[in-house]
């Protein structure tokens, strides 16, 4: 007889939704921050137990696309926005870091410290690359900070970033490709010249207008064309392309056409594009870049997510307060950026159900696929023995209106506000501890930055570990 195993926490009687496996009625035994056992009626001693009867238990959500520090400081948002995230069932985020001119060596230590000391969720970094110096330093960022993914903008943002030209993209893609086959170029695909022209024409033709008009500042054709360019440049460079935030039916059609011709790359969409249309009653509260579009685009994106053309879903969270969002400033004056970490999972559950997309598919796109692509699977993105004990317990039938004050981030609005969503998390386990429960944060921040290593380094490390 062996002693029954001692657990720090057992999540009992839930229905586990395991990517690639399906639904399993089982308990999860957790020790030292990891999943120690999955089984029926676990009999080991448990310091704490959580009764998940009548609920589903999902892997903690991995949101690969988050911006931190665009409104308040990085340090403050590292706490406030990850608090909203973990309350909403998100336990790992990929952060697009911004340094328009400086070397990232000037900022990476502070970014990392903030995520180690203040965050409720684990994190990986994707620096946004703007300069030749940053391109030259890419291998050193990879080496010293365990970074394997980098972002490039094909179109600029007026007053912030100039549109990036193809020569810079190609140099950057080649440099990332030189890091190894797991390294990723994340690309904002919109053709800069078409966007610049469309914005100017919209300003002239519609000095005032509605959210529905905003779509014309970022025509779908500019997205579709840019995807073709990015696919071609990535092929020349031998880089793994990851198209961030696909927003349009035309973009999706180009993705399908490129794949038919043998191109291999990855595509992401966001929960705002899946849940909000340009006729939304919240108007400019839902202004973002690229824009939310007409319902036909939403239908197309859901179809793409279901059939696997779109592999991952994130948020593109860029938190703002009403005072800086300024919806009253109208079509051209209100600012893009949506606080959407806290509504990510409920929106996927609610609108996924309306569009007939099975929970198993959602869990793959929102957990396993991003973890795999960014090199943190199976530590993240699944429910398996040895994985980090990051879980979200969900009441699929809970219905609640979205209210900014319940979401617990820094923002005083939500683009989903007023909508009644069905399917909400009731508890989030992060690193083996219950961190959120019944809409309240119940534990201090315990997030960590996750440096990533080349897969061959990881294999070498595992072999030497076994030999020791
Ligand atoms: Zn983004």
């Amino acid at each position: 007889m062996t002693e029954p195993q001692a657990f720090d926490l057992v999540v009992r009687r839930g229905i586990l939704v395991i990517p690639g496996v399906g639904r399993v009625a089982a308990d999860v035994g957790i020790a030292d921050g990891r999943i120690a056992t999955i089984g029926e009626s676990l009999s080991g001693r448990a310091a704490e137990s959580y009764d998940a009867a009548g609920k589903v238990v999902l892997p903690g959500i991995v949101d690969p696309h988050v911006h931190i520090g665009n409104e308040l400081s990085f340090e403050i948002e590292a706490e406030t926005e990850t608090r909203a995230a973990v309350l909403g069932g998100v336990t790992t985020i990929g952060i697009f870091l911004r340094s328009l001119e400086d070397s990232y060596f000037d900022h990476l230590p502070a970014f990392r410290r903030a995520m180690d000391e203040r965050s409720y969720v684990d994190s990986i970094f994707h620096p946004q690359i703007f300069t030749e110096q940053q391109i030259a330093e890419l291998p050193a960022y990879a080496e010293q900070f365990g970074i394997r993914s980098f972002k490039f903008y094909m179109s600029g943002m007026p007053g912030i970033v100039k549109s990036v030209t193809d020569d810079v993209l190609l140099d950057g893609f080649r440099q990332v490709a030189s890091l190894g086959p797991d390294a990723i170029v994340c690309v904002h695909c919109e053709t800069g010249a078409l966007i610049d022209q469309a914005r100017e024409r919209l300003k002239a033709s519609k000095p005032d207008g509605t959210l529905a008009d905003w779509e014309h500042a970022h025509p779908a054709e500019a997205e579709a064309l840019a995807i073709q360019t990015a696919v071609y440049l990535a092929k020349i460079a031998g880089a793994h392309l990851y198209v961030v935030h696909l927003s349009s039916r035309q973009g999706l059609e180009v993705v399908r056409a490129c794949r038919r011709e043998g191109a291999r790359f990855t595509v992401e969409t966001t929960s705002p594009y899946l849940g909000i249309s340009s006729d939304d009653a919240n108007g400019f509260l839902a202004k973002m870049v690229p824009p939310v579009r007409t319902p036909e685009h939403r239908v197309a994106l859901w179809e793409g997510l279901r059939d696997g053309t779109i592999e991952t879903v994130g948020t593109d969270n860029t938190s703002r307060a009403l005072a800086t969002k300024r919806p009253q400033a109208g079509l051209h004056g209100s600012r893009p950026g949506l606080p959407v970490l806290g509504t990510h999972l409920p929106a996927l559950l609610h609108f996924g159900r309306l569009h007939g997309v099975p929970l198993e598919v959602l869990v793959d796109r929102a957990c396993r696929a991003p973890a795999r692509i960014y090199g943190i699977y199976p530590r993240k993105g699944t429910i398996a023995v040895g994985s980090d004990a990051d879980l979200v317990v969900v009441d699929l039938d809970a219905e609640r209106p979205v209210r900014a004050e319940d979401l617990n981030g820094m923002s005083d609005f939500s683009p989903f506000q007023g909508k009644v969503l069905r399917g909400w998390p009731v508890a989030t386990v992060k690193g083996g501890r219950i961190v959120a429960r019944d809409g309240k944060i119940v534990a201090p921040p315990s997030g960590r930055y996750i440096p990533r290593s080349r897969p061959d380094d990881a294999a070498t490390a595992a072999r030497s570990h076994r030999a020791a």
Side-chain angles (χ1 to χ4, degrees):
M1 279 284 287
T2 52
E3 282 279 300
Q5 191 171 1
F7 300 115
D8 301 322
L9 172 67
V10 176
V11 177
R12 297 189 194 279
R13 303 201 299 164
I15 304 293
L16 315 182
V17 184
I18 306 177
V21 175
R23 298 188 193 209
V24 180
D27 295 351
V28 181
I30 294 163
D32 299 326
R34 300 210 173 166
I35 296 174
T37 307
I38 298 171
E40 279 179 63
S41 309
L42 291 185
S43 58
R45 287 171 290 121
E48 189 179 6
S49 88
Y50 183 91
D51 185 0
K55 312 289 195 298
V56 295
V57 180
L58 315 180
I61 305 301
V62 178
D63 179 354
H65 191 150
V66 174
H67 301 265
I68 292 284
N70 280 28
E71 177 91 5
L72 306 176
S73 70
F74 191 95
E75 284 69 24
I76 292 173
E77 287 193 20
E79 180 173 342
T80 59
E81 303 321 283
T82 64
R83 192 174 67 205
V86 87
L87 201 61
V90 174
T91 53
T92 303
I93 60 174
I95 304 175
F96 287 103
L97 303 177
R98 173 171 296 176
S99 174
L100 294 177
E101 286 169 7
D102 304 340
S103 162
Y104 275 98
F105 287 123
D106 296 348
H107 300 291
L108 276 165
F111 288 147
R112 182 175 179 164
R113 200 177 319 116
M115 297 315 293
D116 279 336
E117 293 176 359
R118 307 178 74 120
S119 174
Y120 285 89
V121 304
D122 290 347
S123 52
I124 58 173
F125 288 164
H126 323 291
Q128 307 184 134
I129 300 300
F130 299 104
T131 71
E132 278 178 32
Q133 182 193 11
Q134 292 170 344
I135 291 175
E137 290 175 351
L138 273 174
Y141 303 153
E143 180 71 27
Q144 295 178 36
F145 290 90
I147 291 169
R148 311 297 298 164
S149 41
F150 301 87
K151 182 172 181 187
F152 297 85
Y153 283 89
M154 293 177 78
S155 67
M157 285 161 284
I160 304 177
V161 190
K162 279 189 296 194
S163 287
V164 172
T165 45
D166 293 345
D167 53 330
V168 176
L169 288 176
L170 186 55
D171 279 352
F173 287 11
R174 285 192 164 126
Q175 186 75 309
V176 174
S178 76
L179 302 178
D182 66 306
I184 307 276
V185 293
C186 308
V187 182
H188 177 130
C189 292
E190 288 188 296
T191 297
L194 290 183
I195 299 298
D196 296 344
Q197 179 194 58
R199 274 180 197 262
E200 289 314 311
R201 288 189 175 168
L202 186 66
K203 274 185 190 158
S205 68
K206 289 255 180 179
D208 297 307
T210 66
L211 181 68
D213 296 312
W214 179 238
E215 210 183 324
H216 303 300
H218 290 263
E221 292 72 24
E223 179 172 77
L225 178 61
I227 292 169
Q228 286 180 306
T229 304
V231 166
Y232 185 67
L233 292 175
K235 185 180 164 193
I236 297 174
H240 180 158
L241 168 68
Y242 178 99
V243 175
V244 300
H245 59 44
L246 185 81
S247 69
S248 70
R249 177 179 58 75
Q250 287 89 329
L252 188 70
E253 283 167 2
V254 163
V255 167
R256 290 201 173 106
C258 291
R259 295 243 175 88
R260 277 197 296 274
E261 289 175 12
R264 298 189 60 181
F265 57 103
T266 304
V267 177
E268 167 200 275
T269 191
T270 73
S271 46
Y273 296 141
L274 294 168
I276 303 174
S277 299
S278 55
D279 56 359
D280 195 276
N282 282 328
F284 296 120
L285 290 186
K287 182 176 174 182
M288 71 183 288
V289 171
V292 296
R293 300 184 190 275
T294 54
E296 66 153 328
H297 294 280
R298 267 174 77 186
V299 170
L301 293 173
W302 273 112
E303 188 51 41
L305 194 79
R306 184 212 321 257
D307 71 17
T309 307
I310 298 170
E311 288 95 345
T312 70
V313 60
T315 58
D316 201 2
N317 184 89
T318 303
S319 292
R320 297 215 178 284
L322 267 181
T324 50
K325 182 77 177 169
R326 301 179 67 233
Q328 73 283 2
L331 178 59
H332 301 285
S334 58
R335 295 182 73 192
L338 306 180
V340 279
L341 273 162
T343 46
H344 184 48
L345 177 57
L348 291 176
L349 295 170
H350 180 88
F351 295 103
R353 180 184 338 226
L354 293 181
H355 287 265
V357 175
L359 185 55
E360 288 79 356
V361 171
L362 293 180
V363 166
D364 177 74
R365 308 298 186 259
C367 303
R368 180 171 67 166
R372 271 186 167 166
I373 287 153
Y374 287 113
I376 52 173
Y377 178 87
R379 176 175 172 187
K380 305 293 187 186
T382 191
I383 303 174
V385 171
S387 294
D388 284 359
D390 298 346
L391 304 168
V392 51
V393 183
V394 170
D395 182 344
L396 290 174
D397 295 317
E399 291 194 63
R400 261 189 12 226
V402 175
R403 302 188 316 163
E405 58 266 42
D406 296 335
L407 298 174
N408 219 343
M410 57 72 64
S411 184
D412 49 358
F413 76 95
S414 163
F416 289 96
Q417 69 190 34
K419 289 187 171 51
V420 176
L421 300 182
R422 183 173 172 200
W424 287 86
V426 293
T428 308
V429 176
K430 154 77 188 64
R433 296 177 71 183
I434 299 173
V435 176
R437 187 170 195 154
D438 301 325
K440 299 267 183 299
I441 295 288
V442 295
S446 63
R448 288 288 175 273
Y449 171 69
I450 304 174
R452 292 169 284 163
S453 54
R454 292 172 66 118
D456 48 343
D457 295 346
T460 309
R463 271 195 304 280
S464 59
H465 183 75
R466 277 198 297 276

